[in-house]
Amino acid sequence: MDVKIEESWKALLQEEFDKPYFAELIAFVKNEYAQTRIFPPGKLIFNAFNHCTVDNTKVVILGQDPYHGPGQAHGLCFSVPEGIEQPPSLQNIFKEIHDDLGTPVPRSGNLERWSDQGVLLLNATLTVRAHQAGSHQNKGWETFTDAVIRKIAEKKEHLVFLLWGSYAQRKGAFIDTDRHLVLKCVHPSPLSANRGGWFGNHQFSRTNQYLREHGLKEIEW
């Protein structure tokens, strides 16, 4: 199958695109877009890959579903386009970055600036029905994104994987911690973060320290 995705990812993932499950997944997704309101817009389904090439990838953040409210999802986990109000989880991410690194809290919730530096912002499921969280789970996306994680982890060394919450931690359980840094903590959503474990986790400074130690440029969070 010819999938419109950045060329380095296309080469890495072509084996997945040619598998029967992926053809069934795409047929399901196309039917959904034809029948109801789906997020993100179709041209942005693979947006995370288009901003962050295989060679450029240094950090992987795993989300679960795209945002399911109007105008929010644009193919990057936790990110919203310019001019869209920051969701609570993203607000907590920015608060922790401020406390950890002392950087100002940004007005924009658009994380393309992270992707362009090599942060792969990958949701486990890449599409969702409007106002129906989890509506495209167990249709094949998780198989595809598991393959993404496995292939990038096998191809590269010294990646940082940020696994927030039990779902992301289960999904990343097979990552080789001898080759990569895996940082785990609770999810930044208010329900989880306010119980403790999110604020003060220092994952952003620890990521940059690891990158520095391996001769890689830090992320400007």
Side-chain angles (χ1 to χ4, degrees), residues 48-193:
F49 303 95
N50 294 330
H51 278 273
C52 184
T53 67
V54 171
D55 286 346
N56 191 37
T57 300
K58 296 184 283 190
V59 180
V60 181
I61 299 178
L62 295 182
Q64 190 163 353
D65 263 352
Y67 294 124
H68 53 83
Q72 293 180 305
H74 66 142
L76 310 174
C77 72
F78 295 104
S79 179
V80 290
E82 301 289 341
I84 299 296
E85 183 179 355
Q86 297 173 10
S89 292
L90 185 56
Q91 292 178 29
N92 284 340
I93 289 169
F94 285 155
K95 286 177 187 175
E96 172 57 22
I97 291 171
H98 170 72
D99 293 346
D100 189 14
L101 298 172
T103 54
V105 174
R107 294 181 180 178
S108 171
N110 189 336
L111 302 182
E112 288 178 357
R113 62 186 181 275
W114 292 4
S115 287
D116 292 337
Q117 296 176 75
V119 182
L120 181 64
L121 296 166
L122 182 67
N123 275 316
T125 303
L126 299 190
T127 54
V128 69
R129 286 184 182 178
H131 310 299
Q132 295 184 44
S135 51
H136 283 188
Q137 291 179 3
N138 303 315
K139 302 297 183 181
W141 278 129
E142 295 92 340
T143 302
F144 172 70
T145 51
D146 279 351
V148 172
I149 298 165
R150 185 177 66 253
K151 287 176 182 291
I152 192 73
E154 289 172 353
K155 182 176 177 63
K156 303 197 64 154
E157 291 186 341
H158 311 313
L159 293 172
V160 182
F161 289 88
L162 302 181
L163 307 182
W164 300 336
S166 58
Y167 182 90
Q169 289 164 25
R170 288 193 302 272
K171 191 169 180 69
F174 61 83
I175 297 165
D176 185 349
T177 54
D178 291 330
R179 295 181 65 181
H180 307 289
L181 177 64
V182 177
L183 297 178
K184 303 177 183 178
C185 69
V186 301
H187 195 275
S189 67
L191 186 65
S192 299

Side-chain angles (χ1 to χ4, degrees), residues 185-204:
C185 69
V186 301
H187 195 275
S189 67
L191 186 65
S192 299
N194 293 337
R195 290 190 194 131
W198 171 256
F199 297 108
N201 65 59
H202 300 293
Q203 292 209 345
F204 302 96

